[in-house]
Amino acid sequence: MKFHLIIAFLLIGYGPIAQEKSLPPIIKKLLSFPGDVQTYPRNNDKLIPNLDLPKNYYNTNQIVIKTKDQLLVGIVGTGRLYKLDTLGERFSWTRIDSTYFTGYNFGCIYFALDSTIYSFGGNGFWHTNGSLRYFNPISKEWNARPLSEEVHFTSGPAEYNTRYYYIDHETQTLFINGMSSSAEYLKDLSKDNIYGNKLMALNINTGDWTTIGKYKDSSYTILGASPWGLFVNNNKFIDIKNNKIYTLSERKKNNMLAILENSTLTNDYALSFIADSTLYIGDYKGHIDSMKITSADIIQTNVPFYTPIEIDNAFSIEKILKIIIAILLAIITFLLLQVTRKKNQSMPIAIVGSGQSEKDTTEKTAVIPKRVNPLEFRSSKIIELLDEREKSLLAFIYSHSSEERLTSIEEINKIIGAAQRSTEIQKRLRSDIITSINDKLSLISDTKKPIISKQRSEFDKRSFEYFIYPDYMELVKKVIDLDRTV
């Protein structure tokens, strides 16, 4: 006998929960609609009785979740999910999760998007959280979705007014009102007031939060999500997409009063939702009522729901415009510099650079500007920069260049007195003297480019020939003429 009792207890605690009664009419009506339907609890009545939970969970809400494929119940304060299985008039509830830890999500909200079950926010263990969790059908546990930041939220008891939340199934966005405080253990609760009185939007797909406005913090009795927005307080619609508040016509307000205040019924409704522009409301004992809503029943109030954060948006636009202007100016400046540079450049030729030997500069080239505006000489002391060998070599190359002739290495060796030296000494002397001339003349020129340039010989590519580029001829002539007059 004891063995049979133990088996019966296990079947009740962990197996499917059989029901003798038929499904409540409000649940049957909910099952008749295809697709996701967002439902809202109105009290703590239990759709699934006799769950094996501690007494502390007896007063927690059971949230009905309607997806396009199934109907489930989430037990607030736990991670438990129960699926409805029906066969004719018989039905049962089967637990489909394998979660263990509880007590972290009292006051959370449940919703479904594309057959994925989500749980958001909740409180427990001295903290209100802002985590978005989704049910993993493979592991049968809840996984946290990464978010850009944590915005704390708890909906509050179902039998009282709850905090605003709205799920836009079309854009897959969750809208909530931010909480002024979440950590009860803080001495100064104002330190945790980042999101107070702010209307926040969470993109479910990307996990990014956005602050869309500010509004007066308040709570609502939510009945359902209609084409005109969230139906709250039995007579108003909050259209968050268009930032408007509508109200019911007087005739429909009277209909609502008839539904909610019937003297022959207790009207202790457990669940409500809107589908096909019709409000359905009922309990789990057998009572159901409905009210059709049309566009003619919606009255505009010209009252916005929230105040957009226009200052922040304007500042952002101003910053973007400044960045665009700065980029355009930078591009224009760059293009002008490129055009100017092309005008002032000629084909690359080999040069002797400052402090470099011929060996080091064999493969290096530089570009000499076509126009040079040499400084006017103010003192004869300038010519003293050059020694006699440098003056002689500069005059010699100048005379050849004026005749459009190149000066060979052998000719330079004779002028500088290195014709009888070894090849290595000749290279070093040529490099030193030519480099010295270029460096000294750069002091009286507005260019840092060498005055004496070189190019490979057409007859022997291993050798170089030297010249003064035509644009520098005037500068060198002034130096030579000054030397002759001193």
Side-chain angles (χ1 to χ4, degrees):
M1 183 68 180
K2 291 183 179 180
F3 177 76
H4 292 296
L5 289 175
I6 293 173
I7 295 298
F9 173 78
L10 292 176
L11 290 175
I12 294 174
Y14 297 97
I17 302 173
Q19 304 292 328
E20 295 181 358
K21 298 180 180 180
S22 62
L23 285 172
I26 188 69
I27 299 300
K28 289 183 179 180
K29 176 55 70 173
L30 181 60
L31 287 170
S32 67
F33 295 102
D36 301 339
V37 179
Q38 186 67 33
T39 68
Y40 298 88
R42 295 183 57 86
N43 59 27
N44 286 330
D45 282 358
K46 303 299 183 285
L47 182 58
I48 306 177
N50 305 322
L51 292 180
D52 56 323
L53 285 169
K55 291 183 179 180
N56 292 342
Y57 292 87
Y58 285 1
N59 293 325
T60 60
N61 297 338
Q62 293 187 2
I63 309 299
V64 179
I65 309 165
K66 171 64 173 65
T67 75
K68 63 180 181 181
D69 303 317
Q70 55 191 348
L71 187 138
L72 307 101
V73 170
I75 310 301
V76 175
T78 75
R80 294 191 177 194
L81 272 181
Y82 292 86
K83 183 181 71 171
L84 175 65
D85 295 318
T86 58
L87 182 62
E89 290 296 322
R90 300 180 61 187
F91 68 95
S92 62
W93 295 98
T94 304
R95 182 177 174 184
I96 63 173
D97 72 282
S98 60
T99 56
Y100 177 77
F101 293 103
T102 61
Y104 65 93
N105 62 343
F106 292 98
C108 72
I109 59 175
Y110 289 93
F111 58 94
L113 291 175
D114 296 333
S115 297
T116 300
I117 312 301
Y118 291 94
S119 168
F120 175 74
N123 63 82
F125 299 108
W126 309 285
H127 182 71
T128 299
N129 70 74
S131 61
L132 176 67
R133 303 161 299 264
Y134 67 94
F135 184 70
N136 187 332
I138 299 176
S139 66
K140 300 186 182 304
E141 294 184 343
W142 294 89
N143 298 129
R145 178 69 58 83
L147 304 179
S148 60
E149 52 192 310
E150 184 179 26
V151 182
H152 307 119
F153 181 82
T154 179
S155 64
E159 64 269 26
Y160 304 109
N161 289 349
T162 186
R163 302 183 67 82
Y164 173 87
Y165 68 94
Y166 172 70
I167 298 94
D168 186 346
H169 288 253
E170 182 179 354
T171 62
Q172 298 200 344
T173 303
L174 169 64
F175 296 91
I176 66 168
N177 60 327
M179 297 183 64
S180 299
S181 178
S182 68
E184 299 178 1
Y185 49 79
L186 289 179
K187 290 184 177 180
D188 184 2
L189 296 182
S190 63
K191 291 184 177 180
D192 195 15
N193 194 24
I194 302 175
Y195 305 105
N197 297 332
K198 290 183 180 178
L199 193 61
M200 307 295 296
L202 174 62
N203 186 314
I204 303 298
N205 293 322
T206 65
D208 294 321
W209 280 104
T210 304
T211 304
I212 63 174
K214 297 181 179 180
Y215 79 113
K216 185 177 180 180
D217 192 6
S218 56
S219 299
Y220 303 92
T221 300
I222 305 176
L223 288 92
S226 75
W228 305 277
L230 199 65
F231 186 36
V232 301
N233 296 351
N234 305 326
N235 59 9
K236 291 183 179 179
F237 295 87
I238 299 176
D239 182 2
I240 196 169
K241 291 184 178 180
N242 299 306
N243 191 20
K244 293 182 178 180
I245 295 179
Y246 310 109
T247 185
L248 276 176
S249 64
E250 289 300 320
R251 183 174 64 89
K252 285 299 180 180
K253 286 181 181 180
N254 291 331
N255 284 359
M256 283 299 301
L257 289 175
I259 292 174
L260 300 174
E261 299 182 3
N262 193 313
S263 59
T264 62
L265 295 172
T266 60
N267 298 331
D268 191 14
Y269 294 112
L271 185 71
S272 65
F273 62 89
I274 292 178
D276 291 343
S277 301
T278 299
L279 169 68
Y280 295 93
I281 187 168
D283 57 29
Y284 298 144
K285 301 177 180 66
H287 180 61
I288 185 174
D289 213 329
S290 64
M291 183 180 72
K292 182 70 175 178
I293 305 172
T294 67
S295 299
D297 303 318
I298 307 301
I299 308 299
Q300 294 198 32
T301 64
N302 296 322
V303 176
F305 175 52
Y306 65 90
T307 302
I309 306 180
E310 298 178 353
I311 297 178
D312 292 347
N313 292 337
F315 179 70
S316 299
I317 294 174
E318 182 179 356
K319 285 181 64 177
I320 293 173
L321 290 176
K322 286 183 178 179
I323 292 173
I324 293 175
I325 292 173
I327 293 174
L328 291 176
L329 290 176
I331 293 174
I332 293 173
T333 303
F334 174 78
L335 293 176
L336 290 176
L337 289 175
Q338 291 298 314
V339 172
T340 305
R341 181 177 297 176
K342 288 182 179 180
K343 288 183 179 179
N344 292 336
Q345 285 183 348
S346 64
M347 61 181 294
I349 58 175
I351 63 168
V352 178
S354 174
Q356 294 177 320
S357 64
E358 286 183 5
K359 183 177 180 180
D360 295 334
T361 60
T362 300
E363 300 300 330
K364 296 182 179 180
T365 62
V367 178
I368 300 175
K370 290 184 177 181
R371 291 188 178 183
V372 176
N373 298 318
L375 299 175
E376 294 293 333
F377 298 140
R378 300 300 181 187
S379 171
S380 61
K381 291 290 184 181
I382 295 176
I383 195 59
E384 296 178 4
L385 292 172
L386 303 177
D387 60 26
E388 293 303 324
R389 284 195 304 179
E390 293 169 350
K391 296 174 185 176
S392 299
L393 179 58
L394 182 62
F396 185 74
I397 297 176
Y398 172 79
S399 64
H400 283 188
S401 296
S402 62
E403 298 174 358
E404 298 184 358
R405 282 183 52 195
L406 298 172
T407 303
S408 66
I409 290 176
E410 292 77 11
E411 291 174 318
I412 292 176
N413 289 339
K414 290 180 182 179
I415 293 297
I416 64 176
Q420 305 302 321
R421 304 290 184 92
S422 65
T423 303
E424 291 300 324
I425 293 177
Q426 289 175 353
K427 287 182 179 181
R428 181 171 57 80
L429 287 176
R430 285 197 308 271
S431 177
D432 291 346
I433 294 174
I434 293 174
T435 298
S436 178
I437 293 173
N438 286 332
D439 287 346
K440 291 175 180 179
L441 291 185
S442 67
L443 298 176
I444 60 174
S445 168
D446 63 348
T447 180
K448 298 300 181 181
K449 302 298 182 180
I451 303 300
I452 299 176
S453 303
K454 69 178 180 180
Q455 69 181 37
R456 292 192 178 275
S457 173
E458 295 181 0
F459 303 100
D460 185 359
K461 297 299 182 181
R462 297 171 299 174
S463 181
F464 289 94
E465 294 179 308
Y466 294 80
F467 67 98
I468 296 173
Y469 200 72
D471 286 351
Y472 293 115
M473 292 294 287
E474 183 180 354
L475 172 63
V476 175
K477 183 176 183 300
K478 287 187 178 183
V479 174
I480 295 172
D481 292 342
L482 182 61
D483 178 45
R484 291 170 181 170
T485 58
V486 173

